[in-house]
Amino acid sequence: MDLLRRPRRNRKSAVVRAWARETDLRADHLIYPVFIREEEGTAPIPSMPGQSRLGPEALLRMADHTLEAGVRSMVLFPAVEERLKTSDARECTNPDGLVPKSLRALKARFPELSLVTDVALDPYSSDGHDGLVREGQILNDETVEILVQQALSQAEAGADVIAPSDMMDGRVGAIRQGLDEAGHSHVSIMAYSAKYASAFYGPFRDALESAPKSGDKKTYQMDPANVREGVMEAMLDEDEGADVLMVKPAGAYLDVIRAVREATPLPVAAYQVSGEYAQIVAAAERGWLDRDRIIEETLLSIRRAGASVILSYFSVEVAPRLGV
Ligand code: PBG
């Protein structure tokens, strides 16, 4: 054939393919989410094979392993004992609670590890909702007051980045103001801006036994049908002082990642959530998918869509195969 343009020439060897490569994936693009508990030892999470709830010693070992793998950031999710869960979720502000205690232990041993904490009531709420519940309604403004206290207890214990995942209106601005007034102006906010009411969170709720006791999260988490609304949420969080804007889940929402990327100068984060993890692990266990290749392809695709940083349960597994 008489062809002037033969795009295959740019795929002919590894060297040439490297010149043509538009997107990269490095260990520094990854954050590792971990589940923590009060009790020593570890408890595997059945719907997330390979992930466990970690007791205090196991958490320190995992932090060491994470840094060793080249991943320099972790996000902590507490599996709170049933007896501490109340309708006002007050345990979430306890300065000696599981999260603040873990932050202090981690910071003392691994000052170079960047620690991200989740702000939301669900792990502490006997209702399993991210906000306070009254007569079946999720209260916004009353919840935000508690979230500010929760964020402060985390900042005081050494959190580097506060990540509100609750989807209440106005919480980013309120947390920013609360942090600044308490002298924590250096503590960052990574806002779960476009967080969808997704079935992909199922395994996570198993891990924390945090599923809503009644109803669903559709009055605060977003409708999976919407992208413009996701951009609006992201813009509000930017205006309220967020440092990083997150889209969650990641894999089924690549168009939202792209739209938010184009709307903001801030770094965009994406969360490859528990259900995305479970799908890949389950198919790979059956020999139906090549685990290593699928992990890299999904993470690279999230980067290609526009994510600067990715929260993934595969972070520590994949990082040694990547550069920093
Ligand atoms: C709760 C929270 C959830 C996740 C992170 N923070 C679950 C939810 O909103 O029900 C999900 C993470 C995952 O599925 O991996 N505030």
Side-chain angles (χ1 to χ4, degrees):
M1 282 201 291
D2 180 17
L3 292 178
L4 177 61
R5 307 253 27 120
R6 286 186 181 266
R8 287 187 54 194
R9 274 196 293 270
N10 279 346
R11 295 175 211 137
K12 70 182 175 188
S13 68
V15 174
V16 171
R17 283 195 295 275
W19 297 342
R21 200 148 219 249
E22 300 175 34
T23 308
D24 66 342
L25 175 65
R26 293 184 280 108
D28 266 347
H29 299 136
L30 300 172
I31 299 178
Y32 186 48
V34 293
F35 301 105
I36 58 176
R37 67 172 194 178
E38 200 75 50
E39 214 184 315
E40 286 294 356
T42 64
I45 300 160
S47 51
M48 300 180 72
Q51 306 301 313
S52 298
R53 299 186 200 118
L54 307 175
E57 273 303 316
L59 174 63
L60 292 174
R61 280 198 304 278
M62 183 55 84
D64 195 32
H65 181 56
T66 301
L67 284 166
E68 206 56 39
V71 175
R72 300 191 290 174
S73 182
M74 267 184 167
V75 51
L76 306 181
F77 292 106
V80 176
E81 289 169 46
E82 223 35 63
R83 64 181 176 88
L84 295 174
K85 298 187 183 186
T86 55
S87 59
D88 63 1
R90 81 180 78 88
E91 176 63 14
C92 78
T93 65
N94 179 358
D96 297 313
L98 177 56
V99 168
K101 259 196 314 209
S102 306
L103 287 168
R104 284 192 287 267
L106 286 167
K107 271 291 157 193
R109 276 276 284 281
F110 306 103
E112 71 277 34
L113 185 64
S114 188
L115 295 173
V116 184
T117 50
D118 193 69
V119 165
L121 304 188
D122 52 327
Y124 306 89
S125 153
S126 49
D127 297 303
H129 275 288
D130 293 27
L132 297 173
V133 185
R134 190 187 298 146
E135 288 159 15
Q137 305 288 315
I138 312 299
L139 305 178
N140 193 89
D141 302 13
E142 293 85 337
T143 297
V144 170
E145 281 178 38
I146 303 175
L147 298 174
V148 173
Q149 299 310 313
Q150 182 180 18
L152 285 174
S153 72
Q154 297 170 347
E156 260 137 43
D160 297 287
V161 180
I162 304 286
S165 70
D166 53 284
M167 289 300 281
M168 297 301 118
D169 293 333
R171 91 283 203 209
V172 170
I175 291 171
R176 183 71 273 157
Q177 191 186 345
L179 289 172
D180 291 352
E181 284 172 3
H184 299 297
S185 57
H186 59 287
V187 173
S188 315
I189 298 179
M190 176 185 284
Y192 287 69
S193 300
K195 176 172 176 180
Y196 289 85
S198 171
F200 282 106
Y201 309 147
F204 175 97
R205 294 178 189 171
D206 291 346
L208 299 188
E209 289 165 352
S210 63
K213 295 289 183 300
S214 67
D216 52 40
K217 298 192 174 185
K218 289 181 185 167
T219 68
Y220 47 108
Q221 298 182 349
M222 285 180 47
D223 183 343
N226 297 352
V227 58
R228 292 193 296 269
E229 187 186 354
V231 173
M232 180 192 69
E233 284 280 9
M235 295 300 88
L236 287 171
D237 288 350
E238 182 180 317
D239 288 347
E240 289 177 33
D243 302 287
V244 182
L245 306 174
M246 194 196 300
V247 175
K248 173 185 178 191
Y253 296 82
L254 297 178
D255 56 330
V256 184
I257 297 173
R258 167 58 43 196
V260 172
R261 168 69 290 152
E262 284 172 3
T264 180
L266 294 175
V268 175
Y271 197 147
Q272 184 179 50
V273 299
S274 57
E276 301 178 75
Y277 175 84
Q279 277 183 322
I280 294 170
V281 172
E285 270 178 1
R286 294 183 177 203
W288 292 350
L289 289 176
D290 179 327
R291 178 172 177 132
D292 290 358
R293 291 188 54 207
I294 288 285
I295 293 170
E296 284 182 46
E297 184 175 335
T298 53
L299 293 171
L300 185 67
S301 296
I302 295 164
R303 288 270 303 150
R304 192 194 62 240
S308 316
V309 56
I310 306 171
L311 294 81
S312 170
Y313 301 98
F314 293 118
S315 292
V316 171
E317 166 177 349
V318 74
R321 307 204 295 268
L322 313 171
V324 279

